[in-house]
């Protein structure tokens, strides 16, 4: 998630594909942290960066400068090796790079009106997608090679999503998700589902990619709010939990698995149970809100690092979900909570740790 506003000390934040590490970009450089321990693993102090993306747990980073120094142009993508401290390759573009996504086979570069698909190993261009104006670089990418999809806005006036198969290099489908333009999109880890939110920010919809036109809705709240981030749990099957952060300063969690189970008991059809026939069919399952996590208006980014099933002490026959939710605020803090949801739709949040990302110290600091 890149931040093009000058009001925050953190310019971008991203977790790697399995959330084992995360990286931030600031006006001074970039930092890489171990998600499990919070250890600062690597720091490069050479100027501002608006994009820092990792490739799993490898030494490869895709980085884009903030343009505050001539050598760090926002129109230049650098593939950087943290082991050697050197650039492996640079790609230059006519306009600013707004987003980067990658997996072990593909590199995706999002510009305002074009998106480029590269073979990661050879860096040869495989396809170019002409897009509607996308000034925020909004996109979603599923790193799974079996369901490797890219999602981009398909309209500037409605919340339509273009879903593109990155491995087979063709458009998969277009989903008319919202009446208002998109604000956030994310795939489940296996690429089977996509969650979307519009600029209105009151509804979050989950779509089954194979069905394309059908959606499943969750109400975040009655009043408009800017959705900053969406994240599914790491399940390789049906996702258990979805979290969202917004300009209200709260974190919203939805227990999808429980909601689907409740609906399936009312329907004889499995697919009919999880995907309503109408996009206006709104289900409000367990909606678990953690209020005032950050001051209202401060940008934040949350991921669900892991979800475990544990015995539910409220009943001997049920299983509860225990989710680890990590939150980065662009004001400079890292927070991690444990969320427990039982089968009665009851939940509890517990703060596990909190630290300042800007003051973290590493032994591996390299300056220009």
């Amino acid at each position: 998630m890149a931040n093009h506003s000058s009001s925050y000390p953190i310019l971008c934040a991203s977790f790697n594909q399995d959330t084992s590490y995360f990286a931030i970009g600031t006006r001074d450089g970039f930092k890489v942290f171990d998600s499990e321990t919070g250890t600062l693993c690597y720091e490069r102090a050479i100027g501002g960066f608006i994009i820092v993306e990792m490739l799993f747990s490898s030494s490869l980073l895709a980085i884009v400068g903030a343009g505050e120094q001539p050598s760090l142009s926002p129109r230049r993508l650098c593939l950087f090796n943290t082991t050697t401290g050197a650039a492996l390759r640079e790609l230059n573009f006519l306009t600013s790079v707004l987003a980067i996504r990658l997996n072990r086979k593909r590199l995706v570069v999002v510009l305002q009106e074009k998106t480029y698909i590269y073979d990661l190993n050879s860096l040869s261009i495989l396809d170019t997608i002409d897009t509607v104006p996308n000034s925020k670089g909004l996109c979603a990418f599923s790193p799974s090679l079996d369901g490797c999809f890219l999602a981009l806005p398909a309209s500037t006036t409605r919340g339509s999503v273009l879903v593109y198969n990155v491995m087979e290099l063709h458009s998969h489908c277009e989903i008319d998700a919202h009446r208002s333009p998109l604000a956030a999109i994310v795939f489940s880890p296996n690429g089977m589902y996509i969650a979307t939110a519009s600029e209105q920010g009151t509804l979050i919809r989950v779509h089954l990619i194979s069905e394309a036109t059908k959606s499943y809705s969750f109400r975040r709240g009655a009043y408009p709010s800017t959705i900053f981030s969406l994240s599914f749990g790491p399940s390789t099957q049906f996702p258990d939990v979805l979290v969202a952060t917004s300009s209200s300063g709260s974190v919203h969690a939805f227990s999808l698995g429980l909601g689907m189970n409740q609906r399936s008991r009312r329907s004889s059809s499995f697919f009919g149970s999880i995907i309503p026939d109408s996009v206006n069919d709104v289900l409000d399952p367990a909606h678990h809100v953690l209020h005032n996590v950050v001051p209202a208006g401060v940008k934040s980014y949350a991921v669900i690092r892991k979800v475990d099933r544990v015995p539910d002490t409220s009943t001997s026959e049920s299983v509860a979900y225990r989710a680890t939710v990590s939150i980065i605020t662009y004001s400079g803090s890292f927070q991690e909570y444990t969320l427990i949801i039982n089968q009665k739709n009851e939940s509890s949040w517990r703060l596990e740790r909190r630290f300042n990302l800007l003051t973290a110290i590493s032994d591996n600091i390299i300056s220009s």
Side-chain angles (χ1 to χ4, degrees), residues 62-85:
I63 56 178
V64 177
E68 296 176 356
Q69 294 92 351
S71 61
L72 298 177
S73 169
R75 298 188 298 275
R76 179 182 300 126
L77 162 63
C78 175
L79 296 179
F80 184 83
N81 188 318
T82 58
T83 300
T84 63

Side-chain angles (χ1 to χ4, degrees), residues 66-242:
E68 296 176 356
Q69 294 92 351
S71 61
L72 298 177
S73 169
R75 298 188 298 275
R76 179 182 300 126
L77 162 63
C78 175
L79 296 179
F80 184 83
N81 188 318
T82 58
T83 300
T84 63
L88 299 173
R89 184 79 178 271
E90 292 184 345
L91 298 174
N92 293 288
F93 301 89
L94 296 178
T95 60
S96 295
V97 178
L98 301 178
I100 299 292
R101 298 290 184 270
L102 67 166
N103 64 14
R104 300 188 194 280
K105 296 287 186 180
R106 297 289 186 261
L107 169 67
V108 178
V109 181
V110 180
L111 310 184
Q112 181 162 328
E113 295 185 350
K114 288 185 182 294
T115 295
Y116 295 97
I117 312 297
Y118 290 85
D119 178 278
L120 181 61
N121 295 315
S122 66
L123 288 185
S124 58
I125 296 181
L126 301 176
D127 201 2
T128 301
I129 306 171
D130 293 320
T131 65
V132 300
N134 183 14
S135 60
K136 296 180 181 179
L138 186 63
C139 66
F141 186 58
S142 169
S144 169
L145 297 181
D146 294 327
C148 188
F149 294 108
L150 170 69
L152 297 163
S155 171
T156 57
T157 58
R158 294 180 60 84
S160 298
V161 186
L162 169 66
V163 179
Y164 180 91
N165 189 315
V166 176
M167 297 306 295
E168 299 178 7
L169 303 175
H170 65 78
S171 176
H172 178 77
C173 67
E174 186 171 317
I175 299 173
D176 191 15
H178 303 271
R179 296 179 181 178
S180 302
L182 294 170
I185 46 180
V186 69
F187 281 106
S188 62
N190 59 8
M192 291 181 62
Y193 296 89
I194 186 171
T196 62
S198 75
E199 292 179 352
Q200 192 74 6
T202 54
L203 294 178
I204 296 168
R205 290 194 164 116
V206 177
H207 318 269
L208 183 64
I209 295 299
S210 62
E211 298 294 318
T213 58
K214 297 182 179 180
S215 71
Y216 190 75
S217 300
F218 304 91
R219 186 173 297 281
R220 181 208 58 82
Y223 297 99
S225 183
T226 300
I227 302 297
F228 290 139
S229 71
L230 295 170
S231 173
F232 282 105
S235 172
T236 57
Q237 302 300 317
F238 182 80
D240 299 313
V241 184
L242 172 71

Side-chain angles (χ1 to χ4, degrees), residues 243-256:
V243 297
T245 61
S246 72
S247 57
S248 68
S250 300
V251 176
H252 303 260
F254 305 91
S255 50
L256 278 70

Side-chain angles (χ1 to χ4, degrees), residues 14-23 33-39 189 230-236 240-243 251 301-308 322-328 334-339 349 352-353 355:
S14 66
F15 282 80
N16 68 344
Q17 292 81 356
D18 59 12
T19 70
S20 57
Y21 290 86
F22 67 91
F33 294 83
D34 184 302
S35 300
E36 188 68 33
T37 64
T39 303
L230 295 170
S231 173
F232 282 105
S235 172
T236 57
D240 299 313
V241 184
L242 172 71
V243 297
V251 176
Y301 173 37
V303 300
I304 305 172
R305 287 206 303 112
K306 51 189 173 183
V307 177
D308 301 314
R322 180 174 60 199
T324 301
V325 181
S326 300
I327 305 162
I328 296 173
F334 177 91
Q335 303 174 46
E336 190 162 85
Y337 292 83
T338 294
L339 167 64
W349 295 84
E352 301 294 348
R353 54 185 172 142
F355 60 90

